[in-house]
Each structure stands twice: as C-alpha cells, then as structure tokens.
C-alpha cells in the first residue's frame, strides 16, 4: 500500500503495510490547496464529461459538491421538486485516477429542508461514505477516501428514506481511471437513467409531488435520461460526426428499475460490463443495474438520427426514456441504403398493379421515400406520431388546416405549443430546409394524401415561393 502522508493527514485505523486495508482518513484542518500534490477536481454536468486525466502520479483530489433542493421541469409543463447534487440530475461527473485520494466536501445549502449525505460506490469503507457525510441544511462535511479500484461507479444520497432521496434525483457517476487512462475516443457523453414517481399521471401539468406508494409498488410515472424528458432530444440531442469514436458513460440511479440500455441502429463495439474491467464486444443491449453503470463504445459510421432507449420499450415511448444522437456526415451507401425504395405491392396473388394511376404513384413514391428517410424517425412510419412527443401527421387537423403553413413548417421548423387532434405538444421540430423544393413538395403531397388525409397536392412552385419569401420559423400558439 502506498499512502501519501503529505498534507498533515491524521490516520484513523489505517494499518500501514497491509495492501488492501480500508483507507479511511480523517484529515486535520486546513491542508493547503496550493500543495503541489493537491488538485481541485474538474467536474462536469451531463451530458458533458470532464477531460481525461493524463497525470502520471496519484494526487489528492478535492471535490466540492453542494446539495440543492429545487423545482425544475421534469417534462413539458410538469415540474417536480428535485433534490440534487450540484443543482442538476444527475449530479456532477467526478473523474479521478486510480490511487488518488479524494477529499470530498459535501455542502447542504441553508435553504434546504432535508439532511443529505453521499454514498459513493467507488469507496471502500462502511456505507461508502454516507455515515461520514450526514449533513444538515446549512452545514458541510468532509470525506476522504482512496480510490482503490478502477471503474465507473454510481454515487447517491443514502439519507433516510433512502429510496425517496434517490427517487428525487440524488445520484451521479464517478469514474476512477486506470493509470494508463481509457483508450482515446473522439467524444464522451454522460447519460444517467432514473425512475420517477409523481402523484399525477404522466404529463399531468403543474408541480407534482413524490408518490411513495407508487415508488414502493415500483410503478414509475417517468423513466428518464438525465432527469427530464427532452434532456437529450431536440435542441438537446447529442451530436457527432461520421467516423467518430464515441464513449457513453451510462449510469442508472434507479431507485427501482434495471435499464436495458440500447442505441437503436448501433452495435456497441465494446462494453465495460457494469462499469468494471471485463470488456464485452459486439453488444446490442446492455443491462445497467439500479445503482450500477456501464461504459459503451462504438464508432458512428452512418449519418442520421439514433435513438437511445431503455429497451423495456414502453418506458421509452410512454414514460420518457428516449435520447437522440445525431450523426452528421456524408451518406454511406455501402453500409446502409441512402434512400428507401418503395414500390406498390398488392399481394402475391394480385393480377397486376397496373390499375394504379402511374403519375400520382411516382409522386407519392418519391414522397414516401423522403418521408421514410427524413420524417419517420420522429413522426413514425405510419405518421402516427408518439403520444406527447411527436404529433401525428395521420389525421392531423393542424396539418390539413393550412397548406402554406405546412410548407413553412418543413422549411423553417416549428416550436411552441401546437394542438393536434386535441393533444398539445410543446417541442421542437428542426428545419428541414436541406430538402429540395421537389422533395418538400413530394413529401407534403405524400403526408397530406396518405393515411386517410384528404389533401390536395403541393407543387414545387409553391415551395419555391415560400422559400424565396425567407425561411420562416413557425411559432405556434405562443
Ligand atoms: Cu439526500
């Protein structure tokens, strides 16, 4: 065991020379932060990750975390009283090196109501630090521990009732890097799942309170990445370029559910199973236990939009567990068709498809291709949308009410409240102005004339005129 005795550390119960002895250190007052061996940890909030550590030696790393209880959006017009490490869910990403001594200061803001503490799974020692850090509002405590094992670890509050503190958002990740570091990648992201229990139903508006009975019954109202619906979609989507090597540090705070973490349309090249040392290769879906983590790595090869989900899939579409990774770059037709080929199919026994009007059919087929490659990722293959997330185009009164506005939406995008078939949406549709006038005319002709929609065709001229008039950003009903 190499114990760094600098900084006037007082030992309590350390057996010098025993290689795996627990290393709980109580520190004397006032170790100077200017000491060359002491460094302040660089923290980052999700989806960001602090930079890799290139240090060759172990250090004493100071981590400051302030607990804040605050009201914030959990979804659309729904708010919730979160208890947080650092004002965010999840709490800050802590990155240290194997062998570092971590000096953690836990501050409980005076305006808070509850005592809190921190149990880090990277700690070897009773309670993971919780007994040493029980902190009343308006106080701070200090925990010192040695990072004895490399890996990705969850930390969480363990003050009673533990489940409630976790359900309110008190968790985060700490990475203990091996001395040689992790293999270099182009981008790293921080994604942490959690389940939430509100008295009101999914998307019930206004301030919601914690529902203990639902939590006990393990019936979450929300299952979310990074503490809020939409924290990784729309303008908050993750971005990468074709060819990038990507690493996602995935955590699961629970309190109850095990996550089946999956990125639709990707295969993980490598997964550090449960955040530990064994690396699995070519993985489709990886389990992330409650109070556990995994590191997934892959190369973005084909441009487009990729949804990350908990593949217990109702959680994704009906409880919020979706994020988006947008990969930019040139099409890769050798790896994945650049466009969708749609042709009429009337069943094997049908005599012929020749009765279908050929001209309209070309037009609709072209529109269907644009739809499948561009719009379907959000509005879904049959235009049915996703409740509360993406409005339906099938049967959309909003779409049919105003052709000119519909052209404007595709050109300029849409944000703000919209009401479609009696349901309100408050999200963001990005501009699709990269499509040509023909493509926009085709796709609008297709969506306005499919799935029972009665629309008249949209011409390229109409689109060109609208484009020439300047790209509108449609803000509906705001
Ligand atoms: Cu707490």
């Amino acid at each position: 065991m190499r114990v760094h005795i600098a900084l006037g550390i007082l030992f309590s119960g350390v057996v010098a020379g025993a290689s795996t002895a627990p290393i709980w250190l109580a520190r004397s007052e006032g170790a100077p932060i200017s000491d060359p061996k002491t460094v302040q940890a660089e923290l980052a909030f999700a989806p960001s990750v602090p930079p890799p550590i290139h240090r060759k030696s172990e250090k004493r790393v100071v981590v400051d975390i302030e607990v804040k209880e605050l009201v914030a959006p959990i979804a659309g017009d729904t708010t919730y009283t979160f208890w947080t490490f650092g004002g965010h869910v999840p709490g800050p990403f802590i990155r240290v090196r194997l062998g570092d001594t971590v000096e953690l200061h836990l501050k409980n803001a005076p305006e808070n109501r509850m005592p809190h503490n921190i149990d880090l799974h990277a700690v070897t020692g009773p309670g993971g630090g919780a007994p040493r850090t029980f902190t009343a509002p308006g106080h701070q405590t200090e925990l010192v521990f040695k990072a004895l094992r490399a890996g990705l670890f969850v930390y969480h509050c363990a003050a009673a009732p533990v489940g409630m503190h976790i359900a309110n958002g008190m968790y985060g990740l700490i990475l203990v890097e091996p001395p040689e570091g992790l293999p270099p990648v182009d981008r790293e992201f921080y994604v942490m799942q959690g389940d939430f229990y509100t008295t009101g139903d999914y998307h019930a508006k206004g301030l919601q309170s914690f529902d203990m009975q639902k939590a006990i019954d393990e019936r979450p109202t929300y299952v979310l990445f990074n503490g809020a619906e939409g924290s990784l979609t729309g303008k908050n989507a993750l971005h990468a370029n074709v060819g990038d090597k990507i690493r996602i540090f995935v955590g699961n705070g629970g309190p109850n559910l095990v996550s089946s973490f999956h990125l639709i349309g990707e295969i993980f090249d490598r997964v550090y199973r449960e955040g530990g040392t064994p690396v699995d290769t070519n993985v489709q879906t990886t389990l992330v236990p409650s109070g556990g983590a995994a590191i997934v790595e892959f190369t973005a090869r084909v441009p487009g939009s990729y949804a990350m989900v908990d593949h217990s899939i109702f959680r994704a579409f009906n409880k919020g567990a979706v994020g988006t990774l947008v990969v930019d770059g040139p099409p890769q037709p050798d790896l994945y068709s650049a466009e969708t080929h749609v042709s009429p199919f009337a069943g094997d026994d049908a005599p012929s498809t020749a009765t279908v009007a050929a001209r309209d059919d070309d037009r609709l087929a072209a529109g269907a291709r644009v739809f499948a490659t561009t719009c379907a990722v959000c509005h879904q293959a049959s235009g049915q949308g996703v409740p509360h997330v993406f409005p339906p185009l099938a049967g959309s009164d909003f779409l049919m009410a105003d052709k000119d506005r519909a052209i404007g939406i595709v050109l300029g995008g849409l944000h703000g409240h919209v009401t479609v078939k009696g349901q309100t949406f408050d999200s963001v549709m990005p501009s699709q102005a990269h499509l040509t006038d023909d493509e926009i005319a085709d796709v609008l002709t297709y969506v306005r004339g499919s799935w029972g929609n009665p629309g008249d065709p949209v011409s390229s001229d109409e689109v060109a005129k609208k484009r020439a008039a300047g790209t509108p950003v449609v803000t509906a009903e705001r």
Side-chain angles (χ1 to χ4, degrees):
M1 177 179 68
R2 288 189 289 157
V3 181
H4 293 261
I5 312 181
L7 318 172
I9 295 164
L10 296 177
F11 287 76
S12 64
V14 174
V15 187
S19 65
T20 55
I23 305 187
W24 284 91
L25 306 175
R27 199 186 114 234
S28 67
E29 276 306 295
I33 186 88
S34 56
D35 186 293
K37 289 194 157 175
T38 300
V39 292
Q40 185 77 30
E42 193 177 328
L43 305 176
F45 287 105
S48 299
V49 179
I53 293 170
H54 296 298
R55 274 189 274 121
K56 295 280 168 277
S57 62
E58 301 162 3
K59 284 260 172 3
R60 186 179 181 96
V61 180
V62 177
V63 176
D64 285 298
I65 300 182
E66 181 175 339
V67 175
K68 296 176 184 164
E69 300 169 3
L70 49 88
V71 174
I74 190 168
D77 294 325
T78 311
T79 52
Y80 187 74
T81 305
F82 293 96
W83 298 347
T84 72
F85 289 109
H88 297 262
V89 180
F93 194 102
I94 308 169
R95 191 164 193 159
V96 300
R97 180 187 183 279
L98 185 67
D100 280 349
T101 296
V102 180
E103 176 186 314
L104 189 148
H105 301 242
L106 189 70
K107 300 165 189 182
N108 194 347
E111 58 275 17
N112 289 347
R113 295 170 168 206
M114 305 291 292
H116 301 284
N117 64 18
I118 189 166
D119 164 355
L120 302 106
H121 295 179
V123 165
T124 307
R132 296 291 161 99
T133 53
F134 186 80
T135 313
H139 291 77
Q140 59 174 308
T141 53
E142 182 182 302
L143 167 72
V144 180
F145 68 93
K146 195 167 168 85
L148 291 179
R149 292 284 182 269
L152 180 63
F153 302 96
V154 167
Y155 65 80
H156 62 88
C157 181
V162 179
M164 182 174 177
H165 285 250
I166 294 176
N168 285 344
M170 296 197 75
Y171 43 75
L173 291 178
I174 174 170
L175 174 69
V176 181
E177 280 198 38
E180 69 281 10
L182 295 172
V185 292
D186 299 299
R187 280 163 211 272
E188 292 184 330
F189 298 112
Y190 173 16
V191 173
M192 196 154 183
Q193 183 171 323
D195 27 301
F196 292 85
Y197 303 82
T198 61
T199 41
D201 290 342
Y202 178 67
H203 279 195
K205 292 191 168 129
L207 180 61
Q208 296 294 318
S209 39
F210 172 70
D211 188 321
M212 186 60 136
Q213 194 56 50
K214 279 190 190 166
I216 292 168
D217 296 344
E218 304 190 12
R219 279 191 299 115
T221 332
Y222 294 88
V223 181
L224 301 172
F225 295 129
N226 293 353
E229 193 166 277
S231 62
L232 289 175
T233 56
K235 63 181 191 318
N236 299 325
L238 305 179
H239 285 267
N241 297 318
V242 166
D244 280 352
K245 280 197 164 167
I246 298 168
R247 171 179 296 134
I248 307 180
F249 297 101
V250 187
N252 185 5
N256 286 321
L257 301 186
V258 169
S259 174
S260 301
F261 188 75
H262 179 78
L263 186 56
I264 300 174
E266 275 293 350
I267 298 156
F268 301 133
D269 298 329
R270 292 154 49 86
V271 173
Y272 295 72
R273 198 193 321 147
E274 299 194 12
T277 304
V279 172
D280 295 335
T281 52
N282 304 337
V283 176
Q284 57 194 305
T285 299
T286 194
L287 277 177
V288 189
S290 175
I295 305 173
V296 303
E297 295 174 354
F298 57 95
T299 303
R301 296 178 200 278
V302 175
S305 198
Y306 295 81
M308 69 185 75
V309 296
D310 181 336
H311 213 298
S312 293
I313 207 72
F314 276 97
R315 298 174 188 170
F317 292 112
N318 300 77
K319 295 188 172 181
V322 215
T324 310
L325 169 71
V326 178
V327 176
D328 293 316
Q332 306 290 323
D334 292 350
L335 304 181
Y336 186 79
S337 320
E339 39 177 54
T340 304
H341 300 279
V342 179
S343 51
F345 175 68
D348 288 338
D349 299 335
S352 151
T353 55
T355 49
V356 181
R359 247 194 80 248
D360 282 0
D361 202 71
D362 284 355
R363 183 104 215 224
L364 288 175
R369 277 200 293 277
V370 177
F371 181 80
T373 49
T374 310
C375 322
V377 358
C378 298
H379 291 287
Q380 307 300 294
S382 307
Q384 75 274 30
V386 175
H388 312 292
V389 186
F390 300 118
L393 299 179
S396 165
D397 44 353
F398 187 87
L399 165 68
M400 299 315 297
D402 186 339
K403 178 155 92 172
D404 191 58
R405 178 176 67 187
I407 299 172
I409 290 171
V410 177
L411 279 170
L414 178 67
H415 63 86
H417 286 272
V418 284
T419 306
V420 182
K421 295 167 90 174
Q423 261 196 38
T424 51
F425 296 84
D426 184 7
S427 184
V428 178
M429 168 169 155
S431 157
Q432 307 295 318
H434 58 277
L435 299 173
T436 63
D437 294 347
D438 284 345
E439 286 169 330
I440 292 176
D442 290 346
V443 76
L444 282 175
T445 300
Y446 173 73
V447 298
R448 286 168 52 85
S450 301
W451 317 301
N453 291 352
D456 46 340
V458 174
S459 74
S460 305
D461 279 357
E462 286 170 303
V463 179
K465 273 206 196 101
K466 185 91 184 159
R467 199 194 291 265
T471 308
V473 176
V474 181
T475 312
E477 297 172 34
R478 209 168 231 167

